[in-house]
Amino acid sequence: MMNRFKKSIGYAFGIAIILLCSNFTWQGGKATNEKVVRSVYTAYEKKDWNLLKSLFAEGFTFTSPLDDHIDLKEYKVRCWPNANNIKKFDIEKLVVDGDDVFVLYNGWNKSGQKFRNTEYFKLKDGKIKEWTCFFGPGISFPNNTKK
């Protein structure tokens, strides 16, 4: 009878460990996805193309009101030059739901002008597969020079 009790305790302990590890892995994935997305803004602030490029998955696409699912090569030509005019970002809200991440932020260009955007990231295996930027006219675009 004691052996059966010990086996039951052993099985219960094993199941508890599996459940705890599963939850830890999920939380770890959430933290990893948040770190990856925060690194996008760090790359822009530091003007570090290699850091930014390392965050993208194979087949990466970028979409905005001015760009329709452009690939990495086109992104570098059309969007990366904006990094030269970026001073900083203040992330107001970052929400992670599995491999989906939404970010609401205020950014400032080197002239001190504020812009505000919302962005959606779709990650796969810890890399950014899709990035969609939502911005409007006027101060929402980082290279806007109007006051």
Side-chain angles (χ1 to χ4, degrees):
M1 176 119 154
M2 189 62 151
N3 284 341
R4 194 178 309 168
F5 178 73
K6 285 182 181 178
K7 276 187 179 180
S8 296
I9 294 294
Y11 289 136
F13 182 74
I15 290 169
I17 293 296
I18 290 170
L19 291 173
L20 286 172
C21 288
S22 296
N23 188 41
F24 179 75
T25 301
W26 179 81
Q27 293 294 334
K30 183 176 181 178
T32 299
N33 287 345
E34 178 176 343
K35 183 178 178 182
V36 167
V37 170
R38 285 185 181 277
S39 294
V40 167
Y41 303 99
T42 299
Y44 265 86
E45 289 175 341
K46 292 184 175 185
K47 320 307 183 238
D48 188 342
W49 172 251
N50 289 326
L51 170 59
L52 186 65
K53 184 178 163 187
S54 74
L55 304 172
F56 297 144
E58 187 174 331
F60 163 80
T61 60
F62 176 81
T63 301
S64 79
L66 304 175
D67 310 284
D68 185 18
H69 293 90
I70 60 175
D71 64 11
L72 181 61
K73 183 178 176 183
E74 188 67 18
Y75 177 85
K76 186 176 184 184
V77 170
R78 292 179 60 136
C79 303
W80 179 246
N82 289 324
N84 292 323
N85 197 30
I86 298 294
K87 181 177 180 182
K88 71 174 189 165
F89 294 98
D90 285 332
I91 295 175
E92 187 173 310
K93 188 77 169 171
L94 189 148
V95 178
V96 179
D97 182 15
D99 286 337
D100 298 313
V101 181
F102 285 89
V103 182
L104 174 64
Y105 65 85
N106 293 309
W108 283 265
N109 65 21
K110 288 183 177 179
S111 300
Q113 295 166 312
K114 179 180 170 182
F115 59 98
R116 183 173 175 86
N117 293 340
T118 299
E119 298 185 330
Y120 163 72
F121 297 86
K122 179 70 173 177
L123 287 87
K124 182 178 180 185
D125 300 325
K127 299 274 187 171
I128 299 168
K129 185 76 174 165
E130 299 172 24
W131 177 1
T132 304
C133 180
F134 303 93
F135 61 83
I139 65 166
S140 298
F141 190 69
N143 282 334
N144 179 48
T145 56
K146 297 177 186 174
K147 293 241 177 205

